[in-house]
Every structure is written in structure tokens, then in C-alpha cells.
């Protein structure tokens, strides 16, 4: 598996005139060695090295597969070790790195290095069997979390309590919690007017009769992320919110049906947006329809207006329309799906409006 991924990366790098691939990004190190942490992976035609520091040395030796693990001496910088190993013959394609490291590498290698953050993304986009199995397992756990949410959602429970219970259950179920830049917390629990912010912060608000409650779960299993949202209703909800729920639901269904191999990503967004526009809620659908998911929560391709990326078999993407009425309520339904002839969401929890 790692062999195949490394070969694909070298093949992609050759198109850039390079014969060495390197990365200092934990996701990319994990993708090519099985170790997630600090270090730099260097992939050459004749073998792969993982350079790391004493802090990570023992864990890296235990976890990294089919590569030489080289640990810097205590007190010696990892950067020097990288420069020693990378300044061999050839041209290196490095993914995006910290400016300080980029500067030193450029100074040492001059024209024999290029920096290309898209190289790994272009290969990582199409998921292999093992990756799909991990995302599917994350999806099964998310379904269990929604089952649990539907039991514990009650008037009076605070958003923070609900999130804490879900986080605890996620961790006990074998999940890790990914970071992503747009929110401070990987689980969004947003109720009532707070749900009109797509990326709502957690609050101490107590849920009450008549609320819609959005639960956006981002959990990781064995490195791989599922990103999914369900919106629940509590008690006597108003007719407008019920109507909006049905609009979001049909828009999401169309999005999933449209996301097939060879479809241009903007078409998925358009089909979804057309439904919401036709019902008069276009101005309240304030984000793109979806994004790629994998080792990152947000990765290529982007399913938004003007996205010319062509969907491919085994892309894993979200479809997540939402309608957000300021100061009133917000509703989003999101699944992570695999793009294939018969596109299937990884999460099976029902999407019919559940009034608790
Ligand atoms: N959970 C953030 C998003 O749906 O993109
Ligand atoms: Mn989400
Ligand atoms: Mn998402």
C-alpha cells in the first residue's frame, strides 16, 4: 500500500521534472509511512527515509513502515538532518513547509527544489480500499453518535453538555478528534438562533421546546475523517423551519445524486443551489455545497460555484447544503460520500425530520 502511494507520488513529481518527493506535513508522513508526527519523509526511487527528532524517535521506529527511520542527535536540529539527506543528486518536490525550513532548503538546493502543496493532495484525492474502510468505520461511529444524540437531546440540556457527552462517546468508540482551522471545536452543537451561524461556537445555551439543533460531527478513525451533520427538532417547532428542513433535505438528495464520476464540481453546487434559490432562500445558503475529506477535514476537490475540478471515482466529498436565518434558526444536512456510479453516503442515520 505505501509502495503504491509512494510510486504515485514519484510519478506525479516526474511531471514537474523532479525525482525526489519530500514532506514535513504529518498527514503526508502518515500517508506514506503510517507514522503521524514531527519529521520529514523523503521518498526516492531507491527507498524512503523518515527523518525525525528524539522526541518522536521511538514512536516513529515502531509505527513507520518500509522505510529507514533516522533520528537526529539530542540538541541537533532536525533541519540540519533534513539538509544533509536531501542535498543528494536530483530535484526535489517538497510540499508546503514552514517558511524557515523553506528558506534553508531553497538556499541549500537552489534550483534543485520546487515547493508544491498540491502534489500530495492530487494523489491523496482518490482514496484506496484501506482509506475507504477507515472512513466507513468513522461513518458507522458517527451513526452511533447520532443514535446517542437522539436519546440525550432534551429541553434543558446545555449545548456544551451535549457536545461533551458526544466527544466522550466518540473517543470511547475509538475515534480521535481532528483539528481544523475554521472552528475551535471539532463538534458543532448549535441550537435555536445559535444554529444560524454555520460554524457556531459552543455556548451554555440550554435547549428548549421549539428549537432546531444542528450537530456537525467531525471525527477521525485511524487517521481518516468523517464530516457529517444532522439537524434535530425539539418539541413544537414552527412551520417555517419545518418547510426549510424539507428544502435542505431535497437539495441534499439532489447533490448526492449529482456527484458522479466525470461531473464538474460546480454542477453539484448548481443543482443544490437551484433548488434553494427556487424556494426563495438562496441568500441564506451562504457557503459552498461541499469539499473533499480524507486525512484533512477540508481538502480538494471543492464543490462550490466556479469549481472546475472534475469529480473522479473514489473521490470522497461532502454534500452539505444549509439555510441559515439570522437570529432565528439554521438547518444543515451533511453527508460524506464516495463518488462512484451508485454514490452512497458513509453515514446512514435517517434524514427524515426527527422531532424529539
Ligand atoms: N464541519 C465543517 C464543515 O462541514 O465543513
Ligand atoms: Mn461538517
Ligand atoms: Mn463539511
Amino acid at each position: 500500500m505505501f509502495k503504491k502511494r509512494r510510486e504515485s507520488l514519484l510519478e506525479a513529481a516526474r511531471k514537474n521534472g523532479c525525482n525526489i518527493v519530500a514532506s514535513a506535513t504529518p498527514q503526508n508522513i502518515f500517508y506514506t509511512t503510517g507514522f503521524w508526527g514531527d519529521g520529514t519523509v523523503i521518498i526516492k526511487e531507491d527507498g524512503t527515509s523518515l527523518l525525525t527528532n528524539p522526541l518522536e524517535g521511538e514512536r516513529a521506529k515502531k509505527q513507520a513502515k518500509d522505510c529507514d527511520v533516522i533520528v537526529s542527535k539530542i540538541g541537533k536540529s532536525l533541519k540540519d538532518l533534513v539538509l544533509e539527506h536531501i542535498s543528494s543528486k536530483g530535484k526535489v518536490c517538497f510540499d508546503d513547509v514552514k517558511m524557515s525550513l523553506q528558506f534553508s532548503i531553497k538556499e541549500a538546493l537552489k534550483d534543485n527544489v520546487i515547493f508544491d502543496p498540491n502534489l500530495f493532495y492530487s494523489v491523496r484525492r482518490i482514496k484506496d480500499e484501506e482509506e475507504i474502510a477507515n472512513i466507513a468505520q468513522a461513518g458507522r461511529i458517527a451513526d452511533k453518535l447520532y443514535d446517542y444524540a437522539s436519546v440525550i437531546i432534551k429541553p434543558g440540556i446545555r449545548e456544551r453538555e451535549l457536545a461533551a457527552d458526544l466527544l466522550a462517546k466518540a473517543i470511547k468508540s475509538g475515534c480521535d478528534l481532528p483539528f481544523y482551522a475554521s472552528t475551535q471545536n471539532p463538534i458543532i452543537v448549535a441550537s435555536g438562533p445559535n444554529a444560524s451561524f454555520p460554524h457556531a461556537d459552543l455556548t451554555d445555551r440550554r435547549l428548549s421546546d421549539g428549537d432546531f439543533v444542528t450537530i456537525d460531527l467531525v471525527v477521525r478513525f485511524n487517521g481518516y475523517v468523517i464530516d457529517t451533520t444532522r439537524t434535530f427538532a425539539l418539541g413544537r417547532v414552527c412551520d417555517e423551519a419545518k418547510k426549510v428542513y424539507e428544502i435542505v433535505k431535497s437539495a441534499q438528495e439532489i447533490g448526492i445524486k449529482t456527484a458522479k464520476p466525470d461531473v464538474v464540481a460546480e454542477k453539484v453546487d448548481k443543482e443544490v443551489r437551484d433548488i434553494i434559490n427556487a424556494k426563495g432562500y438562496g441568500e441564506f445558503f451562504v457557503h459552498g455545497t461541499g469539499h473533499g475529506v480524507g486525512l484533512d477535514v477540508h481538502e480538494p476537490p471543492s464543490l462550490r460555484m466556479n469549481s472546475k475540478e472534475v469529480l473522479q471515482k473514489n473521490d470522497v466529498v461532502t454534500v452539505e447544503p444549509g439555510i441559515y436565518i439570522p437570529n432565528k434558526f439554521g438547518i444543515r444536512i451533511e453527508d460524506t460520500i464516495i463518488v462512484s456510479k451508485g454514490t452512497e453516503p458513509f453515514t446512514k442515520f435517517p434524514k427524515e425530520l426527527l422531532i424529539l
Side-chain angles (χ1 to χ4, degrees), residues 301-322:
S302 176
L303 279 62
R304 56 170 62 224
M305 280 183 203
N306 302 318
S307 173
K308 306 294 179 205
E309 291 173 284
V310 178
L311 295 179
Q312 297 172 49
K313 186 170 181 318
N314 292 1
D315 266 325
V316 171
V317 299
T318 66
V319 178
E320 51 176 303

Side-chain angles (χ1 to χ4, degrees), residues 280-333:
Y281 285 94
E283 68 182 292
F284 303 111
F285 177 24
V286 291
H287 52 71
T289 288
H291 52 84
V293 183
L295 293 170
D296 282 305
V297 178
H298 297 122
E299 55 180 60
S302 176
L303 279 62
R304 56 170 62 224
M305 280 183 203
N306 302 318
S307 173
K308 306 294 179 205
E309 291 173 284
V310 178
L311 295 179
Q312 297 172 49
K313 186 170 181 318
N314 292 1
D315 266 325
V316 171
V317 299
T318 66
V319 178
E320 51 176 303
I323 295 178
Y324 310 92
I325 314 290
N327 304 314
K328 285 173 130 184
F329 62 86
I331 288 163
R332 176 166 68 256
I333 303 177

Side-chain angles (χ1 to χ4, degrees), residues 180 188 216-218 227-229 291 298 318 320 332 334:
Y180 64 114
I188 297 171
D216 184 331
L217 299 175
V218 181
D227 182 9
T228 175
T229 305
H291 52 84
H298 297 122
T318 66
E320 51 176 303
R332 176 166 68 256
E334 173 178 27

Side-chain angles (χ1 to χ4, degrees), residues 133-146:
N134 285 322
I135 300 170
Q137 179 60 8
R140 285 190 281 275
I141 295 172
D143 282 337
K144 268 180 39 185
L145 296 177
Y146 283 128

